[in-house]
Amino acid sequence: NLSFGNNKNLYVFYGVNEIFTKLEDVINLMNPKIEIALMDEMDKVNAFLSDLPIIETEFYLYKNSVLVKECKYKIIKSMKLLEFYDIKEAISSKDIIEIRSSCTYKPIQVKFRNAFNDFKYDGDLGVNFYRDKIQFSIFTLTGFKVELLIYDKNDVLISTYEMKEIEENIYRIDLDKDEVYKKFYLYRIYKKEINREGLLEVISKEVIDPYAKVVNLNGEKNYIIDLNDSKLKPAGWDNYKLEETKTPI
């Protein structure tokens, strides 16, 4: 803390070749953070810093708490951008990728933004009806466990089923039709995340089926019903013909 010229207080910070005139800037420098870290390509991670690091600060990339050795990084000062590149290690959507530093910066989890945009699945998703069975299928990019929750008409949870991952990111379960037909359902998806304190935790979230065709009144739950069920068809439905619509001139 120094006094110089018209400035009542000047501040110097170890490892930074700059003199500060505002205490606020020094406080921010003492508590820097990685604002966000994104992966758009499989061999690159971009992270934006609240402040540039002090001298001798090192950054590291971790996969599932294990140091990723085959990668490089650089800092673009004008953008406060930390860029990891030439990442050689294979990464899946369920991996926890995080950035750590040698000092001050708390660990942060890398978000997969566009890295897995090429994923494709040609099978059926949603609810499919068979003679005595109903099949539920859902895709989740980062979930490691999925449960199917069945509710009655009074919104009471009556059954919970753990689904099986039939292939990467696709979860499925087949149930007897008599057990769940004309009931409501949700999915509960479990994920691993790095929290604000830099600690690994498991979180779960209940979601509706994005592939469903029928929901309840407020769209909060899906309804299990076969729209091709003959009992749902009004009299004469199969013989009804739409009138030809002429385009006005």
Side-chain angles (χ1 to χ4, degrees):
N1 186 340
L2 306 171
S3 182
F4 183 77
N6 295 326
N7 294 303
K8 293 182 179 180
N9 295 296
L10 299 177
Y11 305 91
V12 294
F13 194 90
Y14 173 77
V16 179
N17 296 323
E18 186 177 350
I19 296 177
F20 298 91
T21 59
K22 296 180 181 179
L23 180 59
E24 179 183 358
D25 292 337
V26 178
I27 294 174
N28 289 336
L29 194 61
M30 292 172 64
N31 299 282
K33 61 181 179 179
I34 304 172
E35 302 282 6
I36 191 170
L38 303 170
M39 175 177 275
D40 289 321
E41 302 173 42
M42 298 306 297
D43 62 347
K44 185 184 296 184
V45 170
N46 288 326
F48 293 90
L49 310 175
S50 63
D51 284 284
L52 291 174
I54 62 175
I55 296 172
E56 298 180 355
T57 300
E58 297 290 340
F59 292 93
Y60 312 97
L61 196 66
Y62 278 76
K63 170 186 168 182
N64 301 324
S65 299
V66 178
L67 178 65
V68 177
K69 296 181 179 179
E70 293 190 69
C71 68
K72 304 173 184 177
Y73 79 83
K74 62 184 177 181
I75 296 175
I76 303 175
K77 293 184 178 181
S78 61
M79 301 174 62
K80 296 181 182 178
L81 173 65
L82 167 65
E83 181 182 292
F84 284 89
Y85 60 98
D86 284 350
I87 301 171
K88 305 297 184 183
E89 193 156 341
I91 294 175
S92 78
S93 62
K94 290 185 177 61
D95 289 329
I96 301 296
I97 308 300
E98 60 180 311
I99 297 173
R100 301 181 187 179
S101 77
S102 58
C103 60
T104 61
Y105 294 88
K106 289 183 179 180
I108 188 172
Q109 183 174 352
V110 176
K111 296 183 180 296
F112 299 130
R113 187 164 63 175
N114 297 318
F116 294 93
N117 281 2
D118 293 336
F119 179 85
K120 293 181 180 180
Y121 177 69
D122 296 327
D124 292 327
L125 295 171
V127 178
N128 291 283
F129 297 89
Y130 301 96
R131 182 175 181 179
D132 300 316
K133 299 284 185 179
I134 300 178
Q135 184 180 86
F136 300 81
S137 306
I138 187 172
F139 163 83
T140 172
L141 183 63
T142 56
F144 71 91
K145 177 182 175 181
V146 180
E147 293 175 336
L148 173 66
L149 312 178
I150 304 296
Y151 297 82
D152 65 14
K153 63 180 180 180
N154 297 315
D155 206 29
V156 175
L157 178 63
I158 56 176
S159 301
T160 301
Y161 302 92
E162 184 170 348
M163 302 177 72
K164 181 180 180 181
E165 188 174 17
I166 60 167
E167 60 179 87
E168 187 176 11
N169 301 323
I170 304 296
Y171 289 80
R172 177 170 293 167
I173 190 171
D174 293 347
L175 296 175
D176 290 336
K177 189 173 182 179
D178 293 339
E179 289 184 55
V180 296
Y181 194 60
K182 291 189 177 181
K183 292 183 173 62
F184 298 90
Y185 74 100
L186 290 172
Y187 294 115
R188 181 185 289 140
I189 299 178
Y190 293 81
K191 300 180 180 181
K192 295 178 182 178
E193 289 191 356
I194 304 295
N195 63 23
R196 292 183 178 180
E197 301 303 317
L199 301 175
L200 179 64
E201 64 179 5
V202 174
I203 64 169
S204 65
K205 185 177 182 180
E206 294 174 7
V207 300
I208 62 171
D209 187 346
Y211 311 101
K213 298 180 176 64
V214 183
V215 297
N216 66 356
L217 183 62
N218 296 317
E220 297 173 344
K221 291 182 177 64
N222 304 114
Y223 189 53
I224 306 170
I225 193 165
D226 185 0
L227 295 178
N228 293 317
D229 191 334
S230 59
K231 296 178 181 178
L232 299 177
K233 299 178 182 179
W237 177 263
D238 288 333
N239 298 321
Y240 180 77
K241 294 183 179 180
L242 291 173
E243 296 182 4
E244 183 179 351
T245 302
K246 296 183 179 179
T247 303
I249 299 175

